[in-house]
Amino acid sequence: MAKYVYNFTEGNRNLKDLLGGKGANLAEMVNLGLPVPHGFTITTDACRHYLAEGSVPAGLDQEVAGHLKALESEMGRKLGQADDPLLVSVRSGAKFSMPGMMETVLNIGLNDESVHGLAKQSGGNERFAWDSYRRLIQMFGKTVLGIDGDLFEQALDELKGRRQDTDLSAPELQQLVETYKGVVREQTGKDFPSDPREQMRLAVMAVFDSWNAPRAILYRRQERIPADLGTAVNIMAMVFGNYGNDSGTGVAFTRDPGSGRQGIYGDYLQNAQGEDVVAGIRNTIPLEDLEHLDKPSYDQLVGIMETLENHYRDLCDIEFTIEHGKLWMLQTRVGKRTAAAAFCIATQLVDQGLITMDEAVTRVTGDQLANLMFPRFDANAEKKKIAKGMNASPGAAVGKAVFSSERAVELSSQGEEVILVRRETNPDDLAGMIAAKGILTSRGGKTSHAAVVARGMGKTCVCGAEELEVLTAEHRFIAPGDVVVSEGDVISIDGTTGEIFLGEVPVVDSAVVEYFEGAQEPVDGFDGAQELEDDLVRAVDRIMRHADQARRLGVRANADTPDDAARARRFGGQGIGLCRTEHMFLGERRQLVEDLVLATTDGARQAALDALEPLQKADFIGIFQAMEGDPVTIRLIDPPLHEFLPDIVELSIKAATGQATDKDRKLLTAVKRLDEQNPMLGLRGVRLGLVIPGLFAMQVRAIAQAAAEVPGARPEIMIPLVAAVQELESVREEAVKILADAGVSALIGTMIEVPRAALTAAQIAESAEFFSFGTNDLTQMAWGFSRDDVESAFFSRYLDLGIFGVSPFETIDREGVGRLMRIAVEEGRSARPDLHLGICGEHGGDPDSVHFCHDIGLDYVSCSPFRIPVARLEAGRAALTNTTSDTR
Ligand code: ADP
Ligand code: MG
Ligand code: MG
């Protein structure tokens, strides 16, 4: 029979798929002999079954009952037993951590009888017992019964007045329990379920259901977590941090998740239960101060942190609770960190002898590197600093202040850049956090919800700026000195320093970009920030060098101008994989293009071509010079014709209102003749070259002459949009002659961007010395939709329905488009073993797609100059990992 429940003693950290991250790591801690409360895990299999069938799998109830019985006998108490109750928590926990996105219910097992038993058990601590009971109804009401949490919060706030929750007396809390029960009755028409087993059963299903809560779906999409994994459920004996001042609860990191530095990082809250720390209900104390409150627990915790780091060989984050001076570990995982910390930690672990350089490369991602290349604030600019908070997630963000998630979404959809300002965030703010450029909160530490989620998303965040008074309802905040910032006012926040500025602060290149540019200079007079920056640049340098040694894929650039070409070289590009020639026909040269299109005689057409040729030649000379002997793949013109010709509507209006000149009228006739219903499937690429005699020949001649003038130039001529070998052959024949006349040698190849070309690659390879996959068009034609037309129309629906995991224009669709590519690679190489293969679609800079290109054996990827470092790193990672699809 299928096994759906595992005791913590049965699992280990490799079982994340089955037990979720939380369950697998709890089991691992048990295996390490750390103090973990007893418990068991219901598998993700059970969840998937429940979500698919609408009911739990047969046998699950009995299996859970069996494990509960074992737990009860281990603890010497029965769940919810009136005079001496066992209480449990029911906790979600998926394979990939989704902080706060799913549900957890604490204190299951309390009711009107067992609350007295709990008080007795605690030596007569009535206050504690009623506090635990009201927490149960509150959490259960919100997460299991779906009652608006504000109703409970309001009742609590009313009772508290200006006091803190810890100031409430036992009778007051008892009264609050009655109020809460009233809320439950009013909202659901039923009484709060008093049967402990029923509470547990309902909570388990609520955790399963929370996998498909809107915010969880949104988070998964943002983080590219597959939609079909499901969550495990952990059932664990409660331990209590809310017993009194010798108890408490906290979170910790084994190193600074912001910088990677070793040390004691975390927050602790006395007399509190789990959620209180991250929810920011009271101000936490820094973890170091626990040493003065409870030295033995503190020392034990520091020892455990070291054990965990050495065991996981990585930064870990930890949840713990102290009950009457006894330390309990409640969770650990390899912790989220900023991009900068990821690089620093990876190299530090190498220096500590915990991991190899190969592993270090796999510990960082291209997305993290891209994140480090974002601009930062100009240190020399004039700024008006209004406050400082905690540097929770780095970056420089400028935008209009908004005070609600809804408003953030609304303004950003209108193209505005916004900073989401909240007292603290909660999981319901996720949509606004995604929409915002940056996040600013006045409460909560580096482990608060805002900080954790922002770091995960690589979004700038300043949190816990306590000097700010955030008046959410009034849409404004007040900074020291009575500076009032209202909705719509522009602010700038620096997630690296925690500073908050009024107005827009100009930004400059990041230190990492300066490093790639070769312009990073040591700065006199060390300050903390500079030191961090130097650490980071050194770490990036080491990792990039190692990735370059390891990778098999070459990395080239998509670059059309000498400036871009030069940057591409500085960033480590090994040539140009796509030099488009269309833009060379724009601007002042448009006139010549019009002449070309209007030409009705051979003479007129040749005159237009003759005028264009020297201009083209000069363009190519510039690029060859910038590339200093590296290969340059030049694509012959592939214009979307409609973008080149004068606007048909404008001309028609001119004609209709009698304002058209003679030339306008001729143009209109020509434009009408060339007007297409579907330009993307129209007269483009090689087709145009075959229809306008002399056009391609002119370009090839310009290339040949330019190459002849620049010593070492290595042109490669690429024919776009070929679907049949015959198209290629006729262009090739002409080009070969022109090159021979000029005494220049160049490879001649083709784009593979039409499905037919992929499917007839063996034939095409007879005439092509290289292939370059144009995956934008290939995706478009394989799926039968054009990106510009449909992306906003139905992509989000397709993502919801799971038809895409991610847009196929962002990441290569391996099954469809990828299959066409595989066929082309195989067939092409079978016909011509030394066929050179690359990709020049935008996918060339996408991490997952780079791994795919490595897998299918391409020789290089080509991407925009700014993505080159990302592609180099991912190519290195691809060579060093066996896991091909998981680039997280
Ligand atoms: P999340 O995934 O949102 O962090 P958790 O399942 O970790 O949710 O639980 C929320 C909080 O409750 C955490 O602070 C956790 O440490 C605490 N908690 C969970 N189970 C127990 C327990 N058995 N005893 C005491 N505290 C618990
Ligand atoms: Mg947790
Ligand atoms: Mg194309």
Side-chain angles (χ1 to χ4, degrees), residues 56 63 80 94 139 237 264 365 569 576 627 635 639 741 772 830 872:
V56 300
E63 220 183 324
M139 274 197 214
I264 304 295
T365 67
R569 270 181 68 82
I576 291 181
M627 290 314 287
R635 182 178 73 182
D741 286 350
S772 177
S830 71
R872 284 164 55 198

Side-chain angles (χ1 to χ4, degrees), residues 404-568:
S404 71
S405 177
E406 292 77 33
R407 193 75 181 129
V409 171
E410 187 183 333
L411 283 187
S412 85
S413 71
Q414 293 164 16
E416 301 269 10
E417 313 215 307
V418 301
I419 307 287
L420 178 64
V421 185
R422 306 280 291 158
R423 217 169 287 185
E424 68 234 354
T425 61
N426 65 51
D428 297 327
D429 288 317
L430 186 63
M433 296 174 79
I434 292 171
K437 281 277 161 199
I439 297 148
L440 170 61
T441 68
S442 60
R443 315 192 53 164
K446 280 194 184 178
T447 56
S448 65
H449 177 265
V452 172
V453 174
R455 271 198 299 277
M457 298 194 293
K459 191 149 293 198
T460 302
C461 176
V462 172
C463 69
E466 291 178 8
E467 302 165 311
L468 303 183
E469 194 183 341
V470 177
L471 304 166
T472 309
E474 296 167 34
H475 308 294
R476 59 199 174 96
F477 71 77
I478 302 170
D482 285 331
V483 180
V484 177
V485 173
S486 306
E487 181 172 291
D489 293 349
V490 172
I491 54 172
S492 303
I493 61 171
D494 187 331
T496 314
T497 63
E499 291 168 305
I500 302 149
F501 306 101
L502 196 61
E504 177 179 345
V505 178
V507 292
V508 295
D509 279 350
S510 79
V512 170
V513 169
E514 280 179 12
Y515 152 74
F516 284 124
E517 292 275 13
Q520 232 263 353
E521 285 169 31
V523 177
D524 291 338
F526 262 58
D527 58 48
Q530 182 60 42
E531 222 175 286
L532 282 181
E533 217 158 70
D534 290 347
D535 279 355
L536 172 61
V537 166
R538 269 192 294 272
V540 169
D541 180 58
R542 280 171 73 182
I543 288 184
M544 292 305 291
R545 282 173 197 276
H546 197 77
D548 282 340
Q549 275 170 21
R551 70 185 157 91
R552 188 187 52 68
L553 279 174
V555 177
R556 293 190 183 187
N558 296 352
D560 316 345
T561 64
D563 274 356
D564 275 355
R567 157 162 293 141

Side-chain angles (χ1 to χ4, degrees), residues 22 91 104 275 319 330-331 333:
K22 201 179 285 169
R91 318 172 65 185
T104 281
E275 310 270 64
E319 291 177 3
L330 299 180
Q331 185 175 333
R333 67 189 156 206

Side-chain angles (χ1 to χ4, degrees), residues 635 638 684 753 777:
R635 182 178 73 182
D638 178 13
R684 295 175 52 196
E753 53 186 338
D777 268 307

Side-chain angles (χ1 to χ4, degrees), residues 635 638 680 684 720-721 751 753 774-778 781:
R635 182 178 73 182
D638 178 13
M680 295 314 283
R684 295 175 52 196
L721 222 77
M751 307 256 311
E753 53 186 338
T775 45
N776 298 348
D777 268 307
L778 193 59
M781 293 192 216

